[in-house]
Amino acid sequence: MANGSVVVVGGTQGLGRELAQSYADESRAVIVTGREQLRAENAAREIGRNTRGIGFDLADPHTIAGRLEDVDDVDHLVLAAIERDSNKVREYDIDAALRLVTLKLVGYTEVIHVLAPRLRGSILIYGGLARDRPYPGSTTVTTVNGGVTSLVRTLVIELAPTRVNALHPAIVGDSPQWRDMAPERHKALVDRTPIGRLVTMAEVVGASRFLLENGAMNGISLNVDGGWMCM
Ligand SMILES: NC(=O)c1ccc[n+]([C@@H]2O[C@H](COP(=O)([O-])OP(=O)(O)OC[C@H]3O[C@@H](n4cnc5c(N)ncnc54)[C@H](OP(=O)(O)O)[C@@H]3O)[C@@H](O)[C@H]2O)c1
């Protein structure tokens, strides 16, 4: 191991990028992807060392195989991309739902289909706690995050002995998505978190690397939530 690359789909920003950075800092070959080629290349340059950027849209799954054609010898594959969709069933936006369902279930699966023959290590898929704690507008997000858990279970069987796990973070306080939230909102969230603070990107990176690297971890859907689900 450790001669191939760590591929982070959705690695241009946020949790995926933080994980990519941790591997790049150890001089591992890293590939980060996002929707646009130029933005992916810029993110790769900022991450530095032996990092490369590739652009493709997960919601356009027929294009994925071509964009990943020259990626060989993959050590670990991480699927972290998300386009957030606030969608209530009474005001249903079909196009928004189709994009998120396609990118997170079909797009993720197509990436795995393409790279599985070139993969030596394990696969990690990001979901989220909206899976178990829905909120108004989370209909599509809750559905796809539930799908992530089911996807992991079938992939463990189909790709054996390749290990496949999922990680479901609670709200990550220092992630780009949440770090500028209003103080009242932040306080309300902290009040519902037993550790008295929101989880951090570094903690999500640590948990991600545990799932990717520990050879006993397989078929796990791990909450990284500071005890949120106990409340
Ligand atoms: N942040 C949190 O607190 C939190 C909480 C629960 C769950 N999660 C989960 O953790 C994962 C990472 O979340 P995050 O907050 O770090 O995300 P983020 O900062 O919003 O970054 C999203 C990433 O996905 C890429 N992306 C978006 N749409 C794409 C598409 N159609 N095709 C290809 N790539 C696409 C983006 O690339 P470009 O912008 O370059 O296109 C970017 O790299 C997600 O699965 C999310 O559901 C996060």
Side-chain angles (χ1 to χ4, degrees):
M1 264 256 257
N3 292 321
S5 54
V6 177
V7 177
V8 185
V9 173
T12 61
Q13 181 183 297
L15 303 177
R17 175 161 171 165
E18 201 73 3
L19 182 57
Q21 186 75 59
S22 85
Y23 280 112
D25 288 348
E26 294 173 3
S27 300
R28 298 282 294 268
V30 173
I31 294 173
V32 290
T33 86
R35 283 163 288 196
E36 294 164 14
Q37 181 63 31
L38 189 57
R39 186 168 140 81
E41 285 173 10
N42 286 338
R45 196 172 311 113
E46 287 163 14
I47 291 167
R49 301 207 191 213
N50 190 6
T51 307
R52 182 154 74 95
I54 302 177
F56 58 83
D57 185 352
L58 284 159
D60 189 5
H62 289 290
T63 64
I64 293 173
R67 301 297 298 147
L68 293 175
E69 210 164 21
D70 69 342
V71 175
D72 52 15
D73 229 355
V74 179
D75 278 345
H76 294 305
L77 172 59
V78 179
L79 295 142
I82 183 81
E83 272 177 36
R84 288 179 170 83
D85 169 37
S86 179
N87 213 337
K88 294 184 183 170
V89 72
R90 288 185 197 282
E91 299 130 38
Y92 200 44
D93 179 340
I94 292 174
D95 291 331
L98 277 174
R99 265 198 81 77
L100 180 53
V101 170
T102 305
L103 94 85
K104 201 141 191 177
L105 298 183
V106 183
Y108 276 21
T109 308
E110 171 62 0
V111 172
I112 293 165
H113 160 75
V114 170
L115 292 184
R118 313 170 208 169
L119 178 69
R120 289 189 279 176
S122 74
I123 298 171
L124 178 64
I125 306 177
Y126 280 65
L129 284 191
R131 176 188 63 154
D132 303 305
R133 288 280 165 87
Y135 51 86
S138 78
T139 288
T140 319
V141 176
T142 295
T143 304
V144 295
N145 286 340
V148 163
T149 300
S150 301
L151 182 60
V152 161
R153 293 175 62 79
T154 188
L155 292 176
V156 163
I157 301 304
E158 287 202 12
L159 298 180
T162 298
R163 294 183 300 105
V164 189
N165 294 294
L167 186 151
H168 297 273
I171 286 174
V172 184
D174 59 346
S175 66
Q177 175 66 18
W178 295 107
R179 63 188 168 211
D180 297 324
M181 79 176 98
E184 320 78 69
R185 177 113 195 255
H186 183 267
K187 182 180 178 316
L189 291 166
V190 167
D191 286 347
R192 292 165 55 197
T193 311
I195 56 173
R197 59 173 179 81
L198 302 181
V199 300
T200 66
M201 294 215 284
E203 288 165 338
V204 173
V205 168
S208 300
R209 292 194 55 151
F210 164 64
L211 291 175
L212 284 167
E213 295 166 24
N214 187 304
M217 304 312 292
N218 196 20
I220 296 296
S221 282
L222 183 68
N223 291 348
V224 179
D225 67 352
W228 175 277
M229 289 303 289
C230 295
M231 297 285 272

